[in-house]
Amino acid sequence: MKYKCLVLDHDDTVVNSTATIHFPSFLAYLEKVRPDRHYTLEEYFRKNFDPGVVQLFTGELGFTPEEMDEEFHFWQAFVRERVPKAYDGIREILLRHRAQGGSIAVISHSVSDMIERDYRENDLPMPDAIYGWDYPEHQRKPNPWPMEQLMERFGLQPQELLMVDDLKPGYDMCRACSVPFAAAGWANDVPEIEAFMRRNCDFYFKTVAQLDAFLLENNR
């Protein structure tokens, strides 16, 4: 196999979650602490892409450390009551990769137990490794630590992995580790995000079907 390990982001890559869960949670918390601030879904996608949601909260919105902690718990309670749906075609890709003897890993800004729940509820093959938000900040993407740990754990060279992710932190992490990066473009239609990903990433896929066809061709 060319790509022995598929490394997946979670939100908006495997499951459709920002539009259906994370953005509504953000709006609900914003109404509580910054009722004068308003964002559209497209604006929220842009902020998540660059500079990232933490910078949005601490910089643009000026959340205090107490508000950041409260937002985290608010978000987690919101997420626990709602299960996002996996994108059509993802399950088939993962089942085939596992059947071919490949490994599946997740590097995400969601917490590990929620990632496991989403895989279980969507009947997806459980990942062999998960590096989520529950790791310390310096061990989360875009820091290269999770990818480096993954390569060491499975004895893989950078070219033997393929990262699939919809946002810039995953891209930055892969660039630091020389791991091939495939942009997942099926969650949004924000022109600036698509333009950046098409221009800079190794591969860009607008649909899950395009990713599927690529893997069929390259992972024999």
Side-chain angles (χ1 to χ4, degrees), residues 94-163:
L94 298 184
L95 286 172
R96 184 179 67 237
H97 187 74
R98 178 65 58 75
Q100 290 174 329
S103 300
I104 299 167
V106 177
I107 300 179
S108 168
H109 283 168
S110 280
V111 296
S112 298
D113 62 337
M114 289 295 94
I115 294 169
E116 291 177 353
R117 179 206 65 179
D118 293 349
Y119 270 70
R120 187 168 54 248
E121 293 296 322
N122 283 280
D123 195 25
L124 304 177
M126 198 59 65
D128 299 290
I130 299 175
Y131 298 90
W133 189 261
D134 30 316
Y135 279 82
E137 184 176 357
H138 68 280
Q139 294 179 347
R140 304 179 201 141
K141 64 179 177 180
N143 191 292
W145 184 88
M147 190 66 78
E148 292 169 347
Q149 289 295 304
L150 190 59
M151 288 189 285
E152 181 179 347
R153 177 174 174 178
F154 291 104
L156 297 172
Q157 296 300 308
Q159 68 274 12
E160 295 179 303
L161 300 92
L162 179 69
M163 176 86 191

Side-chain angles (χ1 to χ4, degrees), residues 24-109:
S25 172
F26 168 69
L27 292 182
Y29 186 70
L30 206 60
E31 180 63 27
K32 181 180 178 183
V33 298
R34 300 288 189 278
D36 59 321
R37 304 300 297 269
H38 304 281
Y39 292 85
T40 65
L41 177 58
E42 185 169 312
E43 288 169 338
Y44 187 69
F45 270 123
R46 285 195 180 99
K47 301 294 183 180
N48 267 274
F49 183 76
D50 189 27
V53 70
V54 172
Q55 287 74 22
L56 168 63
F57 291 167
T58 59
E60 186 169 322
L61 289 168
F63 286 1
T64 65
E66 293 75 21
E67 288 173 329
M68 286 292 291
D69 185 63
E70 182 184 40
E71 189 281 332
F72 176 78
H73 292 290
F74 184 95
W75 168 54
Q76 286 299 287
F78 202 94
V79 167
R80 288 183 189 283
E81 296 176 357
R82 298 159 178 85
V83 179
K85 185 178 183 300
Y87 290 100
D88 291 341
I90 289 290
R91 181 173 183 271
E92 289 74 17
I93 288 173
L94 298 184
L95 286 172
R96 184 179 67 237
H97 187 74
R98 178 65 58 75
Q100 290 174 329
S103 300
I104 299 167
V106 177
I107 300 179
S108 168
H109 283 168

Side-chain angles (χ1 to χ4, degrees), residues 7 13 17 26 30 71 76 78 86 108 142 144 167 179 207-208 219:
V7 188
T13 298
S17 51
F26 168 69
L30 206 60
E71 189 281 332
Q76 286 299 287
F78 202 94
S108 168
L167 291 178
V179 169
T207 66
V208 175
N219 231 16

